Amino acid sequence: MSLYSWIITNKEVFEIIYALMICLICALIVVKTDRFFRLSLHQGIRYFRNAFLFYGIAFLFKYF
């Protein structure tokens, strides 16, 4: 069995891992920027944080 055929047969496993990685990265960005927002109360940081929050939620719902 070649590597290519193994990847094709386990495509959904790779998609789930990819989705979890993207959601984890988005969650880290949201947590880190929330700290910056609470320090400065700058609205641009708030919008940046919300963009990654909603992107992560949308990406999560895409697979459910």
Side-chain angles (χ1 to χ4, degrees):
M1 180 185 238
S2 69
L3 180 64
Y4 182 72
S5 63
W6 183 78
I7 290 173
I8 295 298
T9 57
N10 294 319
K11 182 180 175 185
E12 293 191 17
V13 173
F14 285 111
E15 287 181 0
I16 291 171
I17 292 170
Y18 177 71
L20 289 175
M21 285 175 47
I22 296 296
C23 291
L24 177 68
I25 291 169
C26 286
L28 288 173
I29 291 172
V30 167
V31 168
K32 294 291 185 179
T33 54
D34 187 53
R35 292 179 187 168
F36 289 134
F37 173 67
R38 290 181 193 268
L39 279 172
S40 67
L41 296 177
H42 188 271
Q43 293 302 313
I45 297 174
R46 177 180 171 219
Y47 297 139
F48 182 80
R49 178 196 66 189
N50 287 344
F52 277 98
L53 175 68
F54 293 129
Y55 179 71
I57 291 171
F59 210 86
L60 186 67
F61 280 125
K62 180 181 172 183
Y63 288 102
F64 285 116

